[in-house]
Amino acid sequence: MPTLGIIGSGNIGSGVARLAVAAGMNVVIANSRGPESLQDLVAELGPLAQAGTVEDAAKLGDAIVLSIPLKAVQELPEGLLEGRFVLDTSNYYPSRDGRIAELDAGTVTTSELVSGWLPGVRYVKAFNNILAHHLPQLARPSGAPDRSALPIAGDDDQAKAEAQAIIDALGYDTVDAGRLSESWRFEPESAGYTRIYLADPNTPDDQLLSSVPGPTPADRVESSLASATRVNVADRVF
């Protein structure tokens, strides 16, 4: 089983860490506040997990889950992830990240932008389209009849195959959404984003963080991606 290096201990990073240790993977998790801030989380995760610096996570992980605010990606140490295999969870939220001209203009997707910020990285977009509390609730063993699927996107087919194997071990099927240029299909406000995992798709926005998930198989994810229309993110206010 691979060791996952997880940079970012927020809801998605912590959720992936929980799935990883449940699958028997070793985890090295890091954040911007330092290893001492992660002791409670590591104690909860158990003996397969350790806290480290971002350098530790990047060095020791066979795969790196990058789960930090978009605006923080450029603040990572230069060359930290060069040559590494990265699963990136980034989404663009202007209220948090500030306005980013290239994204507002629609000339690149978020994942194309991040990939360009990280030269030499074997890069796959993943885990960005599901609510954090749904991530552990929908995980199922391989072959389970109620197994859900997560989309991935990337320009490196071998990296996508490796991502598929890791995500399978964590409890999900995968749907190949295409190249990074197509990753908008499962970014915020798109047809492939979060609501496809709701048991009740009419759940009000203010109840999403307590919403109940429903199994979402690969064919439903594929249908949502195919029906998606590109969002004008320049109009995004959250």
Side-chain angles (χ1 to χ4, degrees):
M1 298 292 277
T3 294
L4 283 191
I6 301 178
I7 299 176
S9 60
N11 292 333
I12 292 292
S14 297
V16 173
R18 291 184 177 95
L19 293 181
V21 297
M25 296 182 190
N26 290 303
V27 168
V28 181
I29 190 165
N31 62 21
S32 61
R33 299 183 301 279
E36 63 282 353
S37 69
L38 294 167
Q39 295 311 306
D40 289 346
L41 176 60
V42 168
E44 174 199 334
L45 293 171
L48 293 178
Q50 67 180 84
T53 63
V54 294
E55 290 83 2
D56 293 330
K59 178 181 179 181
L60 298 174
D62 298 301
I64 313 302
V65 176
L66 183 61
S67 191
I68 59 178
L70 180 61
K71 65 180 181 180
V73 174
Q74 289 185 293
E75 299 170 4
L76 292 171
E78 185 175 357
L80 175 74
L81 299 173
E82 187 170 357
R84 311 300 290 162
F85 169 44
V86 171
L87 297 166
D88 175 41
T89 77
S90 293
N91 284 319
Y92 175 40
Y93 302 116
S95 62
R96 178 196 66 188
D97 301 313
R99 305 303 318 194
I100 298 175
E102 302 99 310
L103 297 179
D104 286 349
T107 56
V108 293
T109 63
T110 303
S111 55
E112 287 179 304
L113 183 70
V114 174
S115 180
W117 286 344
L118 300 173
V121 167
R122 301 175 57 240
Y123 178 97
V124 175
K125 178 88 158 188
F127 299 118
N128 68 295
N129 78 317
I130 186 169
L131 293 168
H133 72 287
H134 289 172
L135 195 59
Q137 293 177 15
L138 288 176
R140 299 289 188 277
S142 182
D146 60 344
R147 205 178 205 217
S148 296
L150 296 172
I152 59 174
D155 296 340
D156 181 329
D157 289 341
Q158 179 58 39
K160 284 196 285 189
E162 293 175 31
Q164 181 180 12
I166 290 171
I167 293 169
D168 176 66
L170 295 180
Y172 286 86
D173 293 334
T174 52
V175 171
D176 188 343
R179 298 179 67 82
L180 297 179
S181 60
E182 295 295 311
S183 60
W184 57 265
R185 295 180 182 275
F186 57 101
E187 290 182 345
E189 302 176 277
S190 71
Y193 183 74
T194 64
R195 283 189 171 274
I196 61 172
Y197 299 103
L198 299 184
D200 177 5
N202 296 315
T203 300
D205 287 349
D206 62 359
Q207 296 177 27
L208 288 180
L209 296 183
S210 59
S211 58
V212 176
T216 307
D219 59 353
R220 191 183 306 169
V221 175
E222 290 170 352
S223 177
S224 295
L225 296 177
S227 69
T229 56
R230 191 160 185 172
V231 172
N232 181 4
V233 297
D235 293 335
R236 184 173 296 159
V237 295
F238 59 88

